[in-house]
Amino acid sequence: MEGISHEVCSLAGTQKLGKLIVFYDDNGISIDGEVKGWFTDDTAGRFEAFGWQVVPAVDGHDPAAVKAALEQARDQDDQPSLIICKTIIGFGAPNKQGKEECHGAAPSWRTNGRAALTATPRPSRNWPGNSSAA
């Protein structure tokens, strides 16, 4: 986060903006690669210090878990809420999943001359409403 965003988050906590709900995508990747080894920020602790409610370690790929976290956040009316979702960047994108390349590059939908999405059927992605292969 940039400096001004810290200031705004602190103000939101001070003003007790209970209707403000923010999702934080904790995917372990930056535009430069994996953050392990250099990103040592305690994001949850920082937002708690700002006066926010923090809903940690939500499985961002599980719609029921995200819904439950959102309901918990909505129940808090005197603090803004940060929902920390653990995700895999590029989830379901063949040859991109878990890689920093997802930050700025368009997905490559072709692999070895055939449609790459057929290599990852929709049901294996565990998306709601997907009961048959793509």
Side-chain angles (χ1 to χ4, degrees), residues 27-88:
N27 59 35
I29 299 287
S30 81
I31 198 162
D32 295 317
E34 291 186 31
V35 300
K36 186 177 180 180
W38 65 264
F39 186 78
T40 57
D41 182 76
D42 178 2
T43 302
R46 178 169 24 102
F47 275 80
E48 288 169 348
F50 288 154
W52 289 50
Q53 170 190 224
V54 175
V55 183
V58 175
D59 179 350
H61 299 295
D62 178 356
V66 173
K67 181 179 179 183
L70 188 55
E71 289 170 356
Q72 180 180 342
R74 285 180 176 159
D75 288 342
Q76 181 66 285
D77 62 1
D78 64 346
Q79 288 179 289
S81 296
L82 179 71
I83 299 173
I84 300 177
C85 292
K86 296 294 289 179
T87 65
I88 299 169

Side-chain angles (χ1 to χ4, degrees), residues 85-119:
C85 292
K86 296 294 289 179
T87 65
I88 299 169
I89 192 167
F91 181 72
N95 306 317
K96 298 286 184 187
Q97 180 171 305
K99 299 177 183 174
E100 71 274 6
E101 299 159 8
C102 293
H103 268 287
S108 173
W109 299 110
R110 302 197 73 72
T111 303
N112 297 327
R114 63 179 177 86
L117 287 180
T118 59

